[in-house]
Amino acid sequence: MHRLLQELPQQRQVPEKAVDLLQQVEEHVRGRVAVLNGVQSWEENRWEVAPLGALAQLWGANGRPSAAWLLSEAGQYWQALAEFAQAEPLMRRALEIDEASYGKDHPNVARDLNNLAALLQATNRLVGAGPRLSSGHFKVS
């Protein structure tokens, strides 16, 4: 990915090539995420989480269609490392993007809410989560 990321800023004058490079970067990121999803020891792969989180935030700021997905993945990786302060803003941003894109009753929103609830439970903050997780969302009866 390093070579592709170096080339990308130089391609602003040729939008077709920039689009192609962005697609290559996304394919590479999806491949790395697939590998990371099978990781047993997160400490060995910690070095990959910060760049993925930064890229996810950049995609979110630029409106990339895959931003919410990558934000969610990076947030879960930070949670696996017990870096809850790093995970929460990514998970909340993924939820924000998916709600705006799909509405409150979409499965992606349910996934985001579930991930956020797991993080809040892990940090013993479920009491404060009640209104956010049940106001207009998937209420448990």
Side-chain angles (χ1 to χ4, degrees), residues 5 18 22 26-27 37 56 79 84 88 91 137:
L5 290 176
L22 283 171
E26 185 166 335
E27 287 174 23
N37 284 338
Q79 182 175 350
F84 304 115
E88 188 171 348
M91 290 180 174
H137 294 289

Side-chain angles (χ1 to χ4, degrees), residues 119-138:
L119 179 131
L120 293 173
Q121 182 177 24
T123 57
N124 200 24
R125 294 185 295 145
L126 279 179
V127 172
R132 173 68 178 132
L133 293 178
S134 64
S135 64
H137 294 289
F138 303 88

Side-chain angles (χ1 to χ4, degrees), residues 8-134:
L8 193 55
Q10 300 168 4
Q11 302 305 322
R12 293 190 189 266
Q13 288 77 20
V14 186
E16 304 83 37
K17 188 160 186 179
V19 168
D20 183 50
L21 288 172
L22 283 171
Q23 289 172 340
Q24 290 178 43
V25 168
E26 185 166 335
E27 287 174 23
H28 179 76
V29 168
R30 286 187 178 279
R32 286 308 307 155
V33 166
V35 169
L36 289 173
N37 284 338
V39 163
Q40 299 298 317
S41 173
W42 274 102
E43 283 304 318
E44 295 171 13
N45 295 287
R46 173 184 278 278
W47 67 272
E48 287 192 75
V49 180
L52 281 175
L55 184 61
Q57 290 176 328
L58 181 63
W59 284 6
N62 292 336
R64 285 243 356 123
S66 301
W69 163 78
L70 189 56
L71 285 159
S72 178
E73 293 291 328
Q76 289 179 73
Y77 300 155
W78 280 122
Q79 182 175 350
L81 288 163
E83 296 283 352
F84 304 115
Q86 297 286 336
E88 188 171 348
L90 300 175
M91 290 180 174
R92 288 190 183 278
R93 182 69 176 125
L95 174 62
E96 195 177 284
I97 291 169
D98 280 339
E99 279 183 338
S101 297
Y102 304 115
K104 293 182 179 190
D105 295 329
H106 193 272
N108 288 4
V109 174
R111 176 205 61 210
D112 297 338
L113 286 168
N114 185 63
N115 293 343
L116 183 57
L119 179 131
L120 293 173
Q121 182 177 24
T123 57
N124 200 24
R125 294 185 295 145
L126 279 179
V127 172
R132 173 68 178 132
L133 293 178
S134 64

